[in-house]
Amino acid sequence: MAKFRINILGCGSATPTVRHQPSCQVVDFRDKLFMIDCGEGAQLQFRRLGLKFSRLNHIFISHLHGDHLFGLPGLLSTMALHDTSGSVTIHIFREGARLLKEWMDFFNRKSPFEIIYDIIEEGEHRVLYEDQGLTIETFPLYHRTPCNGFIFREKPKLRHLKGDAVAFHKIPVAAIKSIKEGADFVTEDGRVIPNVMLTTDADPSMSYAYCSDTMMDMRVVDDIRGIDTVYHEATYDDSMTERARERGHSTSRQAAQIARAAKAKRLIIGHYSKRYNSEDILLAQASEEFPDVKLANEGLRIDLE
Amino acid sequence: MAKFRINILGCGSATPTVRHQPSCQVVDFRDKLFMIDCGEGAQLQFRRLGLKFSRLNHIFISHLHGDHLFGLPGLLSTMALHDTSGSVTIHIFREGARLLKEWMDFFNRKSPFEIIYDIIEEGEHRVLYEDQGLTIETFPLYHRTPCNGFIFREKPKLRHLKGDAVAFHKIPVAAIKSIKEGADFVTEDGRVIPNVMLTTDADPSMSYAYCSDTMMDMRVVDDIRGIDTVYHEATYDDSMTERARERGHSTSRQAAQIARAAKAKRLIIGHYSKRYNSEDILLAQASEEFPDVKLANEGLRIDLE
């Protein structure tokens, strides 16, 4: 199975505590690393998880609250020290790019390490990254300041060859690629061998959506419908539903309702308010709405498969 | 004994590692807290040591390298969340104040918490803070960018009254304060009772100097002569003496030579290069030059007495 792993580096909210670090995740897609949000301490968590700075080339910042980006100056300085010829692209709202650039132009001025800024516009739907196997799109969330989420979609994979059938029909090597992609095979004398005779189904393609920070909003469902795994913020429990709305946050039950409406297969919740000494109540209330809920925790690794 | 305690929050260099946090200390002087440098993660270390944000009103930044100040945005945001009517004074070089203000004006714009900037000029000698019991002065260090150190001096304490003599001479309450300060007493009929008849010596006043980052430079000795306890950076061991000079840093032996020349009573070393998996070699080489050397470590508390 090709690697598609979510690493949780931080899943607290507002301020780091002894229990939780501020928001940060790293998606490891076939050994390319993609960071989502970068709270203070992200670089140290990155090290603790044994991840490699040299494999990190894209960082996605959901919104301009400090607990989602105060780790950037330190992380970028460390990267600039380690890999002076490297570069990284920061996908971020315009004002964040401006503020970050001011700092990095000063603190990193002696390193040729390159920081590229890709400006996300408020409310934007756009593909931010694409390679042979993956696309990363952004879509709007509904917080008290402009905020965007991110969807990672694995592209369709190749079908599996049936070795015996390939041998029996004497398929030439040159035809293998198109057959794996689903084409039928036409013999020299014009007979059509249907693809299903030659292949079995490809492994399913996986997808992951990051929804933090946001209040519960059904427009999110439209954007993440059919996703495999969704991370949705769950700052509060039921008793704080009103406060959640006021602050542009969600309860864990609301996160689960979004996952259910989107027909997701799995839900990870995080961005816990620091009022909770245990997140069991958040898990319990979400689990009343959706069967497969997991509590995020620092160091948690989830393989999508 | 009145409290005068040094708390080590971080004593690594350049980048946080699993072994050491970047530079940060908190001086606890009779329950007022003074932070020196503020590397990334300082607010979390502050919490771990059980210190109180409400008692922190002054932060001193030695120089504008990221490992000495990237913790400021997070720390200040947390303080602004907790104590919206409070304030803090940041003593920092001009360009640092400008960059920090840009960030805090944006990220803290909703809190009335006040950040006051006190500009340190390059090479400056000045008293930055003074109260009834303490003065804090700054003095120049010799790094590859402008850098200043800080000296904390406890003011002379009051002499101890001899209870029996005070009773015998029928000293009125109104005269006690000046006697504790060292004055003789003159009776109604004009006799002089010398102060030494009425008091014993005050407890000694303690002092602490922070010297990081700096190359070995004898001008530092002039500024810290007679200090009780000195923290001096000791980035490298003897084998790296040349590199130390190139990078504007010191070896542990050089730190000890400075402490000896200044006739300090105690030396704390820190700001270790991350190349060391154990600082024993730094301790051993410093100890050949100076008798009382202590290795800084995260969580170390030293009471000056």
Side-chain angles (χ1 to χ4, degrees), chain A residues 16 40-41 43 99 102-103, chain B residues 16 40-41 43 47 99 102-103:
Chain A
E40 182 176 359
Q43 64 165 317
L99 290 165
E102 281 239 43
W103 274 44
Chain B
E40 182 176 0
Q43 64 164 317
R47 253 183 229 279
L99 291 165
E102 282 239 44
W103 274 45

Side-chain angles (χ1 to χ4, degrees), chain B residues 139-153:
Chain B
F139 66 100
L141 296 171
Y142 304 94
H143 193 36
R144 59 183 193 273
T145 187
C147 185
N148 260 38
F150 305 102
I151 300 176
F152 290 66
R153 289 187 204 278

Side-chain angles (χ1 to χ4, degrees), chain B residues 66-197:
Chain B
D67 58 320
H68 292 254
L69 59 76
F70 281 164
L72 281 171
L75 174 74
L76 295 172
S77 296
T78 293
M79 290 176 73
L81 270 180
H82 280 70
D83 182 20
T84 49
S85 66
S87 73
V88 67
T89 300
I90 318 279
H91 306 266
I92 189 169
F93 287 123
R94 190 175 306 275
E95 185 66 1
R98 187 185 72 73
L99 291 165
L100 186 60
K101 187 169 186 316
E102 282 239 44
W103 274 45
M104 301 328 294
D105 284 354
F106 181 82
F107 290 109
N108 263 11
R109 63 193 179 280
K110 286 177 184 157
S111 170
F113 180 83
E114 191 184 9
I115 301 173
I116 300 155
Y117 298 91
D118 172 38
I119 304 301
I120 300 176
E121 302 291 347
E122 183 178 347
E124 186 175 35
H125 286 88
R126 178 164 61 95
V127 173
L128 303 180
Y129 173 89
E130 181 165 12
D131 66 21
Q132 224 179 356
L134 177 72
T135 59
I136 306 174
E137 312 153 36
T138 191
F139 66 100
L141 296 171
Y142 304 94
H143 193 36
R144 59 183 193 273
T145 187
C147 185
N148 260 38
F150 305 102
I151 300 176
F152 290 66
R153 289 187 204 278
E154 192 172 29
K155 289 187 175 173
K157 296 178 188 169
L158 297 177
R159 298 178 64 81
H160 297 287
L161 293 176
K162 294 179 182 173
D164 290 353
V166 167
F168 179 81
H169 292 289
K170 299 192 173 60
I171 308 290
V173 170
I176 293 294
K177 181 160 179 285
S178 64
I179 290 172
K180 282 186 171 178
E181 288 168 354
D184 298 335
F185 179 68
V186 183
T187 61
E188 283 183 9
D189 53 359
R191 278 183 304 129
V192 174
I193 318 286
N195 188 280
V196 289
M197 301 284 290

